[in-house]
């Protein structure tokens, strides 16, 4: 074991630094997994995993967690390489389902993840979450929270502008026009990071596609529906209508996720269309601010609005973890009421397991209501047959925003990738 090991690395590291850190981390543990006091961890939970690590170390005197955090794009590009080269950390962020290079199915299928089915929390997972935490009936992902995608508003900025959150499509466009007229765009949009491009689209697809057809995914899987011949076109048209109406700040493609947070946090926009996880990051940039999650309307019938809400990214254990005992101890801490509540409170989310004693933050009252009323659909990519569909969508949306592609072309390309299967 190395004699001096930093327990906290910078929140954002370069690709080289992350690889080096994780490589060093796998060398730090022992081969048997029982004697080392050092755990290596790679996480995308920027701004929230830090407190969980501190609590875990406090609960386990002498244990040190050497961890890195990074954005989703950077992380997804690296984790598969690290796993295949034997340089991956003991524990790592893993997304539910099958929609991206770091998702459960993608990493479990080649045997990169340890089976967690025998852990005490696995049988307690609700069916909706269990279905995307498992591969071939075995649990590989310790999913600790549920998240939603919608509009997160800066309450102080709304009051200054004299505006209230809209609940119909017509009012949404009026809201955008009024906000623009006051010199404060309605929403920050950080499309320079390509994973961000999907969020507005998902928020609109939830209602335009699944509002009238909850079986759309089953029809896609049966070859009875396509993106290009479905209301996905309606949602994409509405996305671009929002852009033309001035709902977003200038130059979304020149604005990254970090910068978009700054715009919403400081009131330079009235809000941001994001996952509820952004609330913690906004509070970090503006501790005195009040931020509230609301559904993004896509029709003029508020009762028809559906919210994308699903299991968020969890944690998997490297099948070749150098410190497997400590790795299991960490994911079990994450899934304990203490660890889970700490995580979701910091992220502004909701726990994945019942009976944790968690008190819902007022900022998430509307999201909790939609979940309770079953007015949600899973994040669209979680049940797609391969990660290529999402990657095509993400790059395609950037190309549409830069006038290098069209909605029709992108949706047809997504159909082609979908039909290619797993």
């Amino acid at each position: 074991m190395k004699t001096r090991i930093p327990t906290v690395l910078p929140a954002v590291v370069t690709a080289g630094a992350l690889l080096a850190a994780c490589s060093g981390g796998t060398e730090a543990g022992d081969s048997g997994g029982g004697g080392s006091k050092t755990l290596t961890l790679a996480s995308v939970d920027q701004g929230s995993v830090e407190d969980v690590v501190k609590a875990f170390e406090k609960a386990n005197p002498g244990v040190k967690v050497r961890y890195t955090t990074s954005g989703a794009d950077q992380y997804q590009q690296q984790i598969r390489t690290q796993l295949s080269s034997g340089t991956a950390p003991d524990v790592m962020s893993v997304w539910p389902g099958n929609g991206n290079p770091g998702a459960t199915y993608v990493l479990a299928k080649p045997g990169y993840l340890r089976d967690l089915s025998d852990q005490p929390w696995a049988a307690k997972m609700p069916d909706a979450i269990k279905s995307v935490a498992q591969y071939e009936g075995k649990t590989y992902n310790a999913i600790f929270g549920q998240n939603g995608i919608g509009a997160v508003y800066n309450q102080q900025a709304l009051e200054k502008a004299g505006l209230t959150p809209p609940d119909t499509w017509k009012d949404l466009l009026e809201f955008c026009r009024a906000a623009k007229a006051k010199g404060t765009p309605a929403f920050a949009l950080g499309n320079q990071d390509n994973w961000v491009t999907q969020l507005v689209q998902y928020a609109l697809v939830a209602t335009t596609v699944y509002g009238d057809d909850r079986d759309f995914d089953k029809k896609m899987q049966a070859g009875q529906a396509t993106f290009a011949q479905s209301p996905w076109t309606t949602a994409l048209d509405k996305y671009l209508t929002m852009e033309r109406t001035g709902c977003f700040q200038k130059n979304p493609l020149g604005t990254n996720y970090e910068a978009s947070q700054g715009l919403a946090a400081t009131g330079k926009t009235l809000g941001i269309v994001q996952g509820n996880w952004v609330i913690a990051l906004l509070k970090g940039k503006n501790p005195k601010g009040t931020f509230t999650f609301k559904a993004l309307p896509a029709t003029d019938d508020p009762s028809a609005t559906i919210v994308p809400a699903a299991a968020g990214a969890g944690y998997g254990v490297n099948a070749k973890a150098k410190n497997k005992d400590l790795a299991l101890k960490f994911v079990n801490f994450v899934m304990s009421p203490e660890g889970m509540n700490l995580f979701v409170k910091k992220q502004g989310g909701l726990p994945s397991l019942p009976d944790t004693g968690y008190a819902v933050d007022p900022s998430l009252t509307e999201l909790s209501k939609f979940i309770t009323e079953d007015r949600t659909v899973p994040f669209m990519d979680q049940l797609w047959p391969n990660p290529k569909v999402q990657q095509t969508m993400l790059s395609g949306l950037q190309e549409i925003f830069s006038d290098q592609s069209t909605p029709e072309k992108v949706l047809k390309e997504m159909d082609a990738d979908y039909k290619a299967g797993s």
Side-chain angles (χ1 to χ4, degrees):
M1 187 189 306
K2 298 185 185 305
T3 55
R4 297 190 62 180
I5 299 173
T7 56
V8 179
L9 296 178
V12 178
V13 297
T14 65
L18 180 61
L19 284 167
C22 291
S23 177
T26 56
E27 293 172 354
D30 65 12
S31 59
S36 175
K37 290 284 190 177
T38 300
L39 175 74
T40 54
L41 166 69
S43 172
V44 295
D45 296 307
Q46 298 174 349
S48 54
V49 73
E50 294 84 356
D51 286 357
V52 175
V53 166
K54 289 178 182 176
F56 177 69
E57 290 179 335
K58 184 178 180 180
N60 296 275
V63 167
K64 297 296 181 186
V65 179
R66 184 165 62 182
Y67 70 99
T68 59
T69 61
S70 55
D73 289 347
Q74 177 185 341
Y75 178 85
Q76 290 173 11
Q77 292 172 10
Q78 295 170 347
I79 194 64
R80 181 66 179 255
T81 301
Q82 294 171 10
L83 285 164
S84 61
S85 64
T87 60
D90 298 321
V91 178
M92 70 209 78
S93 288
V94 177
W95 279 267
N98 193 31
N100 67 60
T104 304
Y105 299 180
V106 178
L107 299 183
K109 186 175 182 179
Y112 289 137
L113 300 180
R114 184 197 189 280
D115 181 5
L116 302 175
S117 303
D118 58 348
Q119 300 307 300
W121 45 266
K124 299 178 183 178
M125 279 187 166
D127 289 343
I129 293 178
K130 189 183 296 181
S131 65
V132 290
Q134 293 186 334
Y135 173 72
E136 293 189 339
K138 297 180 180 178
T139 300
Y140 291 94
N141 195 346
I143 295 172
F144 58 85
Q146 299 183 79
N147 294 307
I149 296 172
V152 175
Y153 292 99
N154 180 324
Q155 186 61 37
Q156 286 73 32
L158 284 175
E159 292 172 358
K160 184 178 179 180
L163 297 173
T164 56
D167 62 0
T168 67
W169 171 249
K170 178 182 177 182
D171 288 347
L172 173 64
L173 297 183
E174 287 300 321
F175 177 83
C176 290
R177 294 187 186 101
K180 183 180 179 182
K182 293 176 181 293
T184 309
F187 303 111
L189 183 61
N191 276 1
Q192 187 177 89
D193 287 317
N194 77 348
W195 72 270
V196 173
T197 63
Q198 67 193 310
L199 301 178
V200 174
Q201 179 71 359
Y202 281 8
L204 296 169
V205 162
T207 300
T208 60
V209 175
Y210 295 88
D212 291 329
D213 189 1
R214 291 299 189 98
D215 290 330
F216 180 75
D217 284 316
K218 292 180 180 177
K219 292 178 180 176
M220 285 288 289
Q221 292 160 8
Q224 299 170 349
T226 65
F227 295 116
Q229 299 296 322
S230 75
W232 267 78
T233 58
T234 306
L236 193 43
D237 181 67
K238 287 179 181 289
Y239 192 173
L240 297 177
T241 297
M242 289 179 68
E243 163 69 357
R244 290 192 294 269
T245 304
C247 291
F248 310 118
Q249 88 288 351
K250 292 182 179 177
N251 195 17
L253 285 175
T255 306
N256 64 22
Y257 181 39
E258 176 80 16
S260 70
Q261 295 168 33
L263 293 173
T266 59
K268 292 180 180 176
T269 64
L270 303 185
I272 184 171
V273 179
Q274 261 287 344
N276 54 274
W277 53 79
V278 80
I279 292 176
L281 301 174
L282 298 181
K283 286 183 176 177
K285 294 179 182 300
N286 180 7
K288 294 182 179 179
T290 303
F291 305 96
T292 305
F293 180 99
K294 296 286 185 180
L296 188 71
T299 72
D300 290 333
D301 178 5
S303 68
T305 299
I306 303 293
V307 170
Y315 286 94
V317 172
N318 185 349
K320 297 181 179 179
K322 299 300 182 185
N323 199 333
K324 54 189 176 186
D325 293 343
L326 207 50
L328 290 175
K329 184 174 286 189
F330 181 80
V331 296
N332 288 339
F333 179 79
V334 168
M335 297 302 284
S336 70
E338 179 185 0
M340 184 173 293
N341 291 348
L342 183 59
F343 236 138
V344 296
K345 181 178 181 180
K346 191 73 176 182
Q347 289 189 339
L350 300 169
S352 64
L353 298 181
D355 303 326
T356 65
Y358 185 70
V360 177
D361 188 282
S363 66
L364 296 181
T365 299
E366 182 153 310
L367 175 59
S368 179
K369 181 172 181 287
F370 270 76
I371 291 174
T372 302
E373 295 177 352
D374 194 26
R375 294 172 62 192
T376 66
V377 294
F379 297 161
M380 289 71 203
D381 57 281
Q382 291 187 350
L383 295 176
W384 290 347
N386 61 67
K388 186 67 167 57
V389 184
Q390 186 192 45
Q391 293 303 311
T392 296
M393 178 186 66
L394 299 179
S395 58
L397 287 169
Q398 285 185 323
E399 290 168 0
I400 289 172
F401 267 76
S402 61
D403 295 324
Q404 298 179 63
S405 189
T406 64
E408 181 182 27
K409 181 174 184 291
V410 171
L411 293 175
K412 285 183 176 178
E413 289 173 347
M414 290 171 62
D415 280 323
D417 289 330
Y418 192 101
K419 290 176 182 175
S422 58

